[in-house]
């Protein structure tokens, strides 16, 4: 991560234009039915048009659009690539999809993986792991330190107690959470990148769900580039990164309210950048009028209470993914204080009252010069 000085940098300096805030404040949050599509996810539009899965060459640029959809990492993905050769586009999309699945296989905790094998050797000293896994764990620890533990890959020690998909969800016992928290803390993990080893203190296990999806998006986009794609998009459940343009127009990212379906908070024109949204609407249950959601505060072992949702814009989806998770824990005041110290990173946070808070690089529509 790169921290910045007092000077505030606007997205306009990236050549991306400014955020158009459609709804400055959406108070009075309405309920969300879990059967509905997630209300706070990032939606992608280009020029306001709806493109078919396979388009004819466009009059403006002569490029073909190819699209791929599917499921990965417990969510849905969409890939788009534009170019002049349909076979080349399809080959690039095949490779990008395969890369998403490779990253899932590397870091999943739902089945045996290199990560679960590492967790099984907790307390056994340094363990040699794949270099890529060591690097992503190292990045997770650096984000954990920068956020004061609001993001922490060791959260999984407590996270295993919660099942948000159970037919009849229950709240873990307080004593069980307290016991699990004895094994939570990023200081309990040591990474040696030169030796490609990771050491976990006894009882500590890792869950990389707060960064793996974004990292997978970064890798899939890199694969598109390796196949010569200059214009495209990778979206995995709201973790999104774009390159180039879509039929000559910048990609338009609409950020929706986490409670009110169809209520758009902002439309962000983007090029060659990543945007990630995390929120309490993705996986949750309600009990006695209280919402219990899947973003846990690693310091308490319970659902975070900092914000309804957080959207982060930056150069890499993996970093944005981890930061968006952290901001949901930290809340607007502490979260934006962190973002203002970072280079080329901006954020939009919706607090628990439905009010929107922007970092300095995301001015409201009425603040445009």
């Amino acid at each position: 991560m790169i921290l910045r000085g007092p000077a505030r940098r606007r997205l306009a300096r990236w050549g991306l234009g400014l955020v158009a805030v459609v709804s400055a404040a959406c108070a009075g949050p309405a309920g969300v039915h879990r059967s509905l599509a997630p209300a706070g996810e990032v939606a992608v539009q280009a020029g306001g048009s709806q493109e078919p899965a396979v388009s004819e060459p466009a009059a403006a640029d002569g490029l073909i659009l190819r699209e791929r959809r599917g499921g990965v990492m417990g969510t849905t993905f969409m890939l788009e690539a534009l170019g002049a050769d349909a076979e080349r586009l399809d080959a690039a999309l095949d490779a990008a999809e395969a890369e998403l699945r490779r990253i899932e296989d590397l870091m999943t905790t739902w089945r045996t993986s290199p990560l679960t094998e590492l967790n099984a050797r907790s307390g056994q000293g340094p363990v040699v792991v794949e270099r890529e896994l060591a690097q992503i764990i190292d990045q997770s620890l650096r984000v954990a330190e920068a956020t004061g533990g609001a993001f922490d890959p060791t959260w999984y020690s407590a996270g295993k107690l919660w099942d948000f998909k159970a037919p009849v969800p229950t709240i873990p016992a307080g004593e069980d959470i307290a016991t699990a928290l004895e094994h939570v803390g990023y200081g309990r993990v040591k990474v040696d990148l030169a030796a490609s080893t990771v050491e976990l203190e006894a009882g500590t296990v890792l869950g990389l769900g707060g960064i793996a999806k974004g990292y997978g998006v970064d890798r899939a986009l890199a694969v598109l580039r390796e196949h010569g794609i200059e214009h495209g998009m990778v979206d995995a459940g709201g973790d999104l990164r774009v390159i180039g343009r879509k039929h000559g127009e910048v990609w338009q990212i609409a950020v929706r309210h986490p409670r009110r379906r169809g209520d758009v908070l902002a439309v962000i024109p983007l090029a060659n950048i990543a945007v990630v949204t995390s929120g309490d609407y993705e996986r949750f249950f309600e009990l006695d009028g209280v919402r219990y959601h899947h973003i846990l505060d690693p310091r308490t072992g319970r659902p975070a209470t900092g914000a309804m949702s957080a959207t982060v814009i930056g150069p890499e989806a993996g970093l944005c993914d981890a930061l968006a998770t952290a901001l949901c824990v930290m809340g607007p005041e502490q979260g934006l204080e962190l973002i203002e110290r970072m280079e080329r990173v901006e954020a939009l946070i919706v607090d628990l009252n439905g009010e929107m808070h922007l970092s300095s690089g995301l001015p409201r529509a009425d603040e445009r010069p």
Side-chain angles (χ1 to χ4, degrees), residues 153-190:
T154 66
W155 72 276
Y156 193 57
S157 299
K160 293 187 298 181
L161 301 175
W162 295 84
D163 184 356
F164 295 94
K165 296 183 179 181
V168 183
T170 59
I171 301 171
E175 55 268 29
D176 292 338
I177 293 177
T179 298
L181 287 177
E182 295 176 2
H183 305 295
V184 174
Y186 59 91
R188 299 175 62 85
V189 184
K190 294 182 176 61

Side-chain angles (χ1 to χ4, degrees), residues 140-352:
S140 296
L141 296 177
R142 286 186 279 115
V143 176
E145 183 176 9
T147 61
F151 174 87
D152 189 333
T154 66
W155 72 276
Y156 193 57
S157 299
K160 293 187 298 181
L161 301 175
W162 295 84
D163 184 356
F164 295 94
K165 296 183 179 181
V168 183
T170 59
I171 301 171
E175 55 268 29
D176 292 338
I177 293 177
T179 298
L181 287 177
E182 295 176 2
H183 305 295
V184 174
Y186 59 91
R188 299 175 62 85
V189 184
K190 294 182 176 61
V191 177
D192 185 335
L193 291 177
S196 193
T197 63
V198 178
E199 181 178 359
L200 306 177
E201 291 189 12
T204 296
V205 291
L206 301 179
L208 298 176
I211 196 171
K213 193 168 56 171
Y215 177 73
V217 167
D218 288 330
R219 285 299 312 142
L221 193 82
V223 168
L224 289 181
R225 288 183 183 274
E226 290 167 5
H227 282 73
I229 303 302
E230 298 179 354
H231 307 279
M233 179 203 69
V234 179
D235 178 4
D239 289 26
L240 184 147
R241 190 169 170 182
V242 299
I243 52 173
R245 293 172 175 255
K246 187 170 183 178
H247 292 312
E249 299 186 32
V250 296
W251 302 85
Q252 300 286 333
I253 309 303
V255 181
R256 301 170 183 159
H257 195 278
R259 290 291 187 276
R260 301 174 63 169
R261 180 177 172 84
D263 193 348
V264 176
L265 292 175
V267 177
I268 310 173
L270 297 177
N272 303 313
I273 206 71
V275 57
V276 173
T277 296
S278 293
D280 65 4
Y281 52 82
E282 295 172 349
R283 292 192 300 275
F284 70 93
F285 63 87
E286 292 185 352
L287 190 62
D288 297 328
V290 178
R291 175 180 295 234
Y292 297 89
H293 59 88
H294 77 293
I295 300 178
L296 300 187
D297 184 336
R299 301 164 297 190
T300 66
R302 300 177 184 275
T305 58
M308 287 184 185
S309 71
T311 297
V312 178
I313 304 167
E316 297 179 353
L319 174 61
C320 291
D321 195 4
L323 288 174
T325 300
L327 296 187
C328 287
V329 175
M330 300 171 76
E333 184 175 353
Q334 292 183 0
L336 291 183
E337 182 180 346
L338 169 67
I339 294 299
E340 293 296 339
R341 300 199 308 268
M342 300 186 69
E343 184 75 26
R344 299 184 68 222
V345 177
E346 305 295 343
L348 181 161
I349 302 174
V350 180
D351 67 23
L352 297 181

Side-chain angles (χ1 to χ4, degrees), residues 44 51-58 61-69 77-97 220-221 223-235 241-247 251:
V44 182
E51 295 288 342
V54 179
S55 68
E56 295 297 324
D61 57 12
L63 299 182
I64 301 169
L65 168 68
R66 289 291 202 190
E67 182 182 284
R68 182 74 50 80
R69 298 173 185 263
F77 72 82
M78 181 169 69
L79 310 174
E80 290 189 358
L82 294 94
D85 187 327
E87 291 186 3
R88 184 179 183 183
L89 293 174
D90 287 340
L93 292 176
D94 287 343
E97 179 179 350
L221 193 82
V223 168
L224 289 181
R225 288 183 183 274
E226 290 167 5
H227 282 73
I229 303 302
E230 298 179 354
H231 307 279
M233 179 203 69
V234 179
D235 178 4
R241 190 169 170 182
V242 299
I243 52 173
R245 293 172 175 255
K246 187 170 183 178
H247 292 312
W251 302 85

